[in-house]
Amino acid sequence: QVQLVESGGGLVQPGGSLRLSCAASGSILGFSAMVWYRQAPGKQRELVAALRAGGSTNYADSVKGRFTISRDNAKNTVNLQMNSLKPEDTAVYYCNVLRSGVSSWTYWGQGTQVTVSS
């Protein structure tokens, strides 16, 4: 069983930056995608950024140009660099690693709070 542990959340002023990390405790070989989601109070969970095994990425329109998803193979982590943060970025951020198709699996982290406020 793989566990995902997020870190790096916190309180930051508008315009500031945070770097979230999601560390996998076990093997995630054969993954299809690594994804960051977020959920703000009273709202549905939304996809923020995704990184596919082939290296392609996609982002929510609201974060394009500000957020960057990346993978550190050596540390078995997926990161989310968040710049120019806005109050509307406030949410609990979750990482998800999944394999689709045959022998599919999915793992979720417990979430990390990001609060953007002055």
Side-chain angles (χ1 to χ4, degrees):
Q1 183 74 11
V2 173
Q3 289 189 329
L4 302 179
V5 179
E6 298 109 335
S7 61
L11 173 64
V12 63
Q13 292 187 341
S17 298
L18 283 175
R19 183 177 177 85
L20 304 183
S21 291
C22 173
S25 64
S27 174
I28 52 173
L29 287 175
F31 78 94
S32 299
M34 296 176 165
V35 188
W36 283 96
Y37 290 85
R38 66 186 181 188
Q39 187 166 20
K43 295 188 177 181
Q44 290 189 330
R45 189 172 296 190
E46 63 172 349
L47 186 147
V48 176
L51 170 64
R52 292 175 182 77
S56 63
T57 58
N58 65 280
Y59 297 89
D61 287 343
S62 59
V63 307
K64 281 181 182 177
R66 300 188 297 122
F67 290 12
T68 303
I69 188 171
S70 63
R71 179 187 173 199
D72 186 331
N73 294 336
K75 296 181 180 180
N76 220 25
T77 62
V78 55
N79 304 306
L80 185 68
Q81 178 66 42
M82 306 187 294
N83 298 327
S84 302
L85 283 161
K86 304 176 181 180
E88 51 263 43
D89 295 318
T90 295
V92 178
Y93 285 70
Y94 299 90
C95 71
N96 171 232
V97 180
L98 63 103
R99 174 186 172 91
S100 57
V102 177
S103 300
S104 63
W105 44 259
T106 186
Y107 301 112
W108 287 88
Q110 81 288 353
T112 186
Q113 176 70 47
V114 171
T115 303
V116 185
S117 175
S118 56

